[in-house]
Amino acid sequence: MSLPHAILTALLEKPSSGLELTRRFDKSIGYFWSATHQQIYRELGRLESGGLIRTLPAAQPARGQKKSYEVLPAGRAELARWTAAAQDPRSPRDPLLLRLRAAAVVGTAGLEADLRRHLELHRRQLAEYREIEERDFPPGRDTPGDRLRHLVLRAGIDLETFWTQWLVSALTEFAELPGEEREEG
């Protein structure tokens, strides 16, 4: 149910075409809510047929011209309803955690190298988030909208900080496991 709300949010921030939305998902919203190009276009069709968004009139009608969309009052009302509704937290579903649990019964072959790879990926993501924070949230940029967007980014920074610290701890634990043949790294 959240993809339509992510799209409504993005369109309220800036009316856009499907391609522009896809690019914006890749650059910002996709950090915490990903969607494929096909999912976005399918959802745009549903939102439009549901009366929540509309295609903006083209300045000059042209064949093959990309359609841009804007949110209608019903779409804003739906987003406000969804934003105010209570939702329970979701448990994380990370295959790495399940693989660690499985390693307890089948052995750890290959897992240490992947833990190191995950650590590097999380370190890179953390560095990227910190660059975004420095670039997009300088001191004094504190409108209510900026503060809320910064809170979302801080959640990403805090999650990546958690994962990097946890992976370092997991690798330390791996080094202390008795009787396992491990890769040298």
Side-chain angles (χ1 to χ4, degrees):
M1 187 66 170
S2 294
L3 178 57
H5 299 101
I7 291 172
L8 288 170
T9 299
L11 289 175
L12 279 169
E13 290 172 345
K14 180 182 178 195
S16 305
S17 69
L19 181 58
E20 291 165 339
L21 277 174
T22 300
R23 289 180 180 149
R24 288 173 57 208
F25 265 73
D26 288 344
K27 289 181 182 177
S28 62
I29 293 172
Y31 286 123
F32 57 90
W33 196 265
S34 61
T36 67
H37 187 78
Q38 293 84 5
Q39 290 171 316
I40 290 171
Y41 273 92
R42 193 170 35 247
E43 200 56 54
L44 284 169
R46 287 186 192 128
L47 290 167
E48 188 171 29
S49 65
L52 301 179
I53 65 171
R54 73 174 182 130
T55 304
L56 287 170
Q60 298 176 359
R63 187 179 153 124
Q65 182 178 17
K66 62 182 176 181
K67 294 194 250 180
S68 287
Y69 299 90
E70 71 176 352
V71 177
L72 294 170
R76 180 180 283 278
E78 168 54 23
L79 187 59
R81 181 208 60 76
W82 180 78
T83 301
Q87 289 186 343
D88 292 335
R90 298 176 96 176
S91 298
R93 289 181 53 175
D94 192 309
L96 178 62
L97 299 177
L98 182 56
R99 290 171 54 220
L100 280 170
R101 181 73 181 251
V105 292
V106 299
T108 61
L111 201 47
E112 187 172 1
D114 204 38
L115 287 171
R116 291 183 191 289
R117 186 180 70 81
H118 276 249
L119 177 58
E120 180 55 33
L121 291 171
H122 284 288
R123 282 179 172 159
R124 276 193 247 150
Q125 189 65 64
L126 178 57
E128 187 175 340
Y129 284 164
R130 286 184 173 152
E131 287 174 19
I132 292 168
E133 182 179 41
E134 189 174 313
R135 180 192 68 222
D136 293 350
F137 297 100
R141 186 169 178 188
D142 62 353
T143 67
D146 288 333
R147 291 174 72 177
L148 292 173
R149 282 186 284 279
H150 194 195
L151 270 176
V152 173
L153 179 60
R154 288 294 317 162
I157 289 169
D158 291 348
L159 284 170
E160 294 304 327
T161 299
F162 160 78
W163 279 112
T164 56
Q165 291 171 349
W166 182 85
L167 285 158
V168 166
S169 176
L171 285 163
T172 300
E173 191 73 29
F174 251 73
E176 297 172 1
L177 290 176
E180 293 278 341
E181 285 195 32
R182 289 180 309 282
E183 308 127 37
E184 295 298 319

